[in-house]
Amino acid sequence: MSLNSEQRAAVRYLDGPLLVLAGAGSGKTRVITAKIAHLLASGYQARHIAAITFTNKAAREMQERVARTVKAEAAQALTVCTFHALGLKILRAEAGAAGLRPGFSILDPDDAEGIFAELLVTSDRARVRAVQTQVSLWKNALVTPAQALRQAGDEAAQNAARAYHSYNETLRAYQAVDFDDLIGLPVELLTRDEHAQARWRSRLHYLLVDEYQDTNQAQYRLLRLLTEPLARFTVVGDDDQAIYAWRGASAENLARLPQDYPELKLIKLEQNYRSSVRILRSANALIANNPKLFEKRLWSELGLGERISIMACPDDEAEAERIALAMQAHKFEHRGRFADYAILYRGNHQARVFETVLRTHNVPYQLSGGSSFFERVEIKDLLAYLRLLLNEDDNPAFVRAITTPRRGIGKETLGRLGELGTARQRSLCAAIGEWDLAAQLGERPAAALQQFGAFRLRLAERAGREPAGAVFEELLAGVGYEDHLRASFDAPVAAARWKNVREFADWLDQKGKAEGKSLLELTQTIALLNMLDSDDQSKTDAVRLSTLHAAKGLEFPHVFLAGVEEGILPHRESIAAGQVEEERRLMYVGITRAQRTLWISHCRRRRRAREMSDCAPSRFIDELVRDDLNFVGDCAAPVDAVQEKADGRAKLAALRAMLTRV
């Protein structure tokens, strides 16, 4: 593995805590992979090394690279996973000490939203989500419900803090955790339980953390708890790419490292292996306007490259049309693939006009940030059954399972079952076993519930010891899920959904065999896949449409950065809140996704809420290196958008005609 001098220094340094300040495209994954091999060669055992990243996709890619570098036995023994997967591993091993049963559930955001809606007694989804987001931020910052209530400055914050307390109580009753608890609960456990702390420090002798600038306070605390007092770790990050403050990430974690670890060594990776000189010069010039934690300047040996095109467009439809035409002309001229191109933008709402235009031009595209396979209704229906096999106290899973398919159990019966469970301090599923169920609910609904309960118990006994695929097949047959789909949807829709179910069944069977895991063990794994794998794109030849946040970590030969206007990038809310620095970092991330060519577009007018509004080019365009820019279009004068589209299509038709003659 070829490394430059700074990369080699980062790989070989083992004498204390290390911060690798890795600029965009500087080969950080190569460094982490090489360092794992160096740790093994230096006497560390594979089972004592952990490499932590933020998505399952990144963890898989790192695992694949490591597998090509070290022996297969060592690669299998390594821990290469996300922060949340590591937290789950700790909670599984220490469930009793954490106040959980081994079969605890992991609630997804939709289940959590339902709980908050009940606690707040409201159907106002915006209010529910606002409280849910605030509670998540509190958890990520290790703020307890009592602390949140003391700090609450107004009635809304007080109500949110009370909901936070009730929400945690509800989770405990359900024997469930949410996504944030997978970090917070291990931190709480390792802080108060010295024996658990000692066990995990003895298991993990060296930690490597990727994308360190994206860590929140809870993750930083977990790192410290696992690595003290020897501080054997390497963290890799870039303060210029810190773009997730809105979800609790804190770039201050980078600033805290030298304070908490005075012996910290800093190594900078500034050679970029991705982009041309012109792209990097503008990226450096842009980010130089932000205050710096650490000085860094990217450079490249990949050549000067083409000028960055700044495209001025009359409106958003014309912008999409120009981008589609420019892309097709460039692809024709350079004999490229659609997959070489990406259109990046600030917000998901900007995708619609691009989708419309690309479909018009018959250009294939993939939309990043779409729903995960595990978010599909039919898969979530079946996941509810799996969660209930794992944990009978999981009330949200019980409600979904008992009503899909319908078994004559309606809201009234569920309400009475809930009253019975509350009176006897039992979950909905456990309340089925009460001796006087028929007297409380009536003979017919009681019989239906008891039949369901017996079915669940039979499968739960088998799900922990028999092959996952076989148990799931019996679940499908017992539930009659295929018949349910055929009775609920038109034939084509039912067939498509059943195809997804079969794909899920095959996945469970193969994964269970490959990893030696039962259906119960796989169920908790699926919860993490559901929340961390939403951007697992196929390898088809298609243009990538993506938000800037979702594009982080990716790279493309040719990038169109659209809607670079005041109010969009930087976003108007960030401008009002004085948070332009993070928006500038977001622009920096967009620029540094490009390898060879970069187009930046803005509009004179843009449709907002069915009305056209005037727009101004983003301040960020003025911060680029002017000598490296090529300005296209003139928004100072009125532009005939209809004629412009016609002219562009005529040019494209001429190019296609030339192609057919070749």
Side-chain angles (χ1 to χ4, degrees):
M1 184 179 297
S2 177
L3 301 172
N4 64 37
S5 59
E6 289 78 15
Q7 291 171 334
R8 283 195 300 274
V11 166
R12 294 173 180 173
Y13 186 78
L14 300 177
D15 295 333
L18 172 64
L19 167 60
V20 180
L21 195 67
S26 62
K28 62 184 177 65
T29 306
R30 184 190 309 171
V31 167
I32 294 173
T33 304
K35 185 145 196 173
I36 290 172
H38 183 65
L39 285 164
L40 293 171
S42 300
Y44 281 86
Q45 294 185 338
R47 69 177 184 272
H48 295 316
I49 301 171
I52 313 299
T53 187
F54 276 80
T55 67
N56 286 309
K57 180 182 176 184
R60 281 197 306 272
E61 290 175 353
M62 191 177 295
Q63 184 84 57
E64 289 166 2
R65 289 202 193 191
V66 170
R68 294 194 294 267
T69 307
V70 305
K71 292 180 180 179
E73 184 179 347
Q76 286 295 319
L78 290 165
T79 297
V80 181
C81 65
T82 65
F83 262 110
H84 294 87
L86 177 61
L88 176 58
K89 189 187 293 277
I90 294 171
L91 286 182
R92 277 175 171 167
E94 309 286 348
L100 295 167
R101 289 202 301 264
F104 61 86
S105 297
I106 304 174
L107 298 191
D108 67 24
D110 288 343
D111 290 321
E113 184 180 329
I115 294 172
F116 277 111
E118 290 182 10
L119 293 174
L120 296 167
V121 195
T122 181
S123 58
D124 184 345
R125 197 171 187 189
R127 182 187 169 207
V128 170
R129 286 188 167 183
V131 172
Q132 186 177 0
T133 298
Q134 180 58 66
V135 169
S136 177
L137 291 173
W138 276 328
K139 287 192 175 191
N140 288 334
L142 300 176
V143 175
T144 67
Q147 290 170 331
L149 187 59
R150 287 196 298 271
Q151 296 169 9
D154 54 32
E155 186 178 353
Q158 291 171 3
N159 290 336
R162 294 187 187 101
Y164 179 14
H165 173 77
S166 299
Y167 172 67
N168 273 2
E169 292 294 314
T170 302
L171 291 184
R172 276 195 284 273
Y174 291 173
Q175 276 293 297
V177 300
D178 64 18
F179 199 46
D180 301 316
D181 289 331
L182 294 176
I183 309 296
L185 291 180
V187 167
E188 179 185 325
L189 171 68
L190 297 180
T191 299
R192 62 176 166 77
D193 189 328
E194 293 183 359
H195 297 294
Q197 185 185 102
R199 280 194 295 274
W200 283 92
R201 288 179 179 175
S202 68
R203 287 182 63 173
L204 300 176
H205 295 177
Y206 201 97
L207 264 67
L208 303 101
V209 181
D210 192 15
E211 303 288 2
Y212 180 75
Q213 76 282 348
D214 295 336
T215 55
N216 57 41
Q217 290 185 44
Q219 289 159 341
Y220 180 79
R221 180 64 182 153
L222 182 61
L223 173 67
R224 293 206 68 182
L225 285 166
L226 291 172
T227 59
E228 290 178 345
L230 298 177
R232 292 172 175 162
F233 66 79
T234 293
V235 297
V236 182
D238 181 8
D239 54 323
D240 291 335
Q241 296 187 73
I243 58 173
Y244 291 114
W246 52 276
R247 69 181 189 192
S250 175
E252 289 303 308
N253 285 346
L254 280 167
R256 289 172 61 182
L257 277 173
Q259 300 167 13
D260 292 340
Y261 301 95
E263 71 277 26
L264 180 78
K265 184 175 180 63
L266 171 66
I267 296 176
K268 300 178 185 179
L269 304 183
E270 297 173 291
Q271 182 174 359
N272 176 283
Y273 294 91
R274 174 187 300 163
S275 305
S276 69
V277 169
R278 278 197 164 113
I279 289 171
L280 293 183
R281 277 203 301 229
S282 277
N284 286 331
L286 172 80
I287 206 65
N289 290 278
N290 273 6
K292 293 289 205 175
L293 288 174
F294 306 97
E295 287 298 329
K296 179 180 85 287
R297 190 168 186 83
L298 296 179
W299 59 276
S300 171
E301 293 180 340
L302 297 179
L304 187 61
E306 298 180 24
R307 282 189 168 85
I308 299 170
S309 293
I310 308 296
M311 299 196 302
C313 307
D315 57 44
D316 46 351
E317 291 185 1
E319 178 185 43
E321 186 76 18
R322 281 190 182 181
I323 287 175
L325 293 170
M327 178 192 305
Q328 291 176 93
H330 190 274
K331 177 180 176 293
F332 169 80
E333 182 180 354
H334 295 274
R335 300 293 192 269
R337 302 171 64 246
F338 285 117
D340 294 337
Y341 297 84
I343 303 173
L344 310 181
Y345 36 79
R346 176 64 175 80
N348 281 310
H349 67 279
Q350 293 171 259
R352 181 194 59 80
V353 65
F354 290 107
E355 289 191 81
T356 301
V357 169
L358 292 179
R359 283 197 297 266
T360 299
H361 285 279
N362 295 316
V363 173
Y365 66 88
Q366 288 183 323
L367 192 64
S368 289
S371 295
S372 161
F373 175 81
F374 298 100
E375 287 289 333
R376 294 173 182 174
V377 171
E378 58 273 20
I379 305 303
K380 294 194 77 169
D381 286 344
L382 296 168
L383 281 173
Y385 282 92
L386 298 186
R387 283 168 43 190
L388 200 58
L389 296 183
L390 180 72
N391 174 16
E392 72 169 357
D393 290 337
D394 190 336
N395 277 0
F398 174 82
V399 171
R400 185 162 191 152
I402 198 69
T403 57
T404 312
R406 295 282 179 185
R407 297 176 173 81
I409 305 297
K411 289 184 178 179
E412 183 179 346
T413 298
L414 286 174
R416 287 157 62 191
L417 181 66
E419 291 171 0
L420 177 63
T422 300
R424 310 282 170 85
Q425 295 186 323
R426 306 196 73 184
S427 68
L428 291 171
C429 188
I432 292 175
E434 290 295 293
W435 64 273
D436 57 344
L437 186 69
Q440 296 287 340
L441 273 68
E443 293 287 346
R444 183 176 295 179
L449 286 168
Q450 287 167 340
Q451 183 180 10
F452 176 84
F455 171 69
R456 178 204 162 270
L457 281 173
R458 287 197 306 274
L459 282 187
E461 287 179 5
R462 296 177 52 198
R465 50 187 170 80
E466 296 184 22
V471 179
F472 187 70
E473 292 295 345
E474 183 154 336
L475 171 65
L476 289 177
V479 168
Y481 196 76
E482 184 177 12
D483 292 337
H484 160 68
L485 291 176
R486 296 188 188 285
S488 304
F489 303 100
D490 293 338
V493 175
R497 294 195 174 199
W498 182 245
K499 182 180 178 182
N500 290 334
V501 171
R502 293 310 317 162
E503 183 179 339
F504 183 43
D506 291 342
W507 182 86
L508 285 169
D509 183 46
Q510 293 167 12
K511 196 167 184 67
K513 289 175 180 176
E515 299 183 7
K517 289 184 176 179
S518 70
L519 193 58
L520 297 186
E521 291 172 318
L522 288 175
T523 298
Q524 288 180 326
T525 303
I526 292 167
L528 287 189
L529 292 177
N530 190 12
M531 288 179 272
L532 290 173
D533 264 8
S534 61
D535 191 43
D536 191 10
Q537 301 286 333
S538 65
K539 301 297 184 182
T540 57
D541 184 22
V543 175
R544 178 72 68 95
L545 297 183
S546 175
T547 64
L548 288 163
H549 285 99
K552 187 169 175 289
L554 304 178
E555 59 184 47
F556 306 92
H558 315 292
V559 169
F560 291 86
L561 189 48
V564 184
E565 299 151 19
E566 290 293 301
I568 294 181
L569 185 64
H571 194 274
R572 59 183 177 276
E573 291 181 6
S574 297
I575 295 172
Q579 297 172 342
V580 172
E581 290 171 9
E582 179 151 335
E583 294 290 296
R584 186 176 282 111
R585 292 194 290 269
L586 194 56
M587 176 79 170
Y588 175 84
V589 165
I591 291 172
T592 54
R593 298 313 92 196
Q595 295 171 319
R596 298 200 292 274
T597 53
L598 174 64
W599 292 263
I600 296 173
S601 62
H602 62 90
C603 298
R604 179 164 56 91
R605 306 190 75 203
R606 183 174 293 275
R607 188 173 299 280
R608 292 193 179 99
R610 299 182 181 179
E611 293 185 359
M612 297 300 291
S613 302
D614 292 339
C615 305
S618 170
R619 69 191 72 184
F620 298 150
I621 294 175
D622 288 336
E623 295 174 359
L624 307 180
V625 178
R626 194 167 186 84
D627 289 346
D628 290 330
L629 306 181
N630 177 37
F631 289 86
V632 181
D634 180 12
C635 280
V639 178
D640 187 335
V642 175
Q643 184 60 46
E644 180 184 44
K645 292 177 185 178
D647 291 345
R649 286 178 177 143
K651 290 177 183 176
L652 184 62
L655 285 171
R656 287 174 174 157
M658 288 172 58
L659 181 61
T660 59
R661 291 196 296 269
V662 173

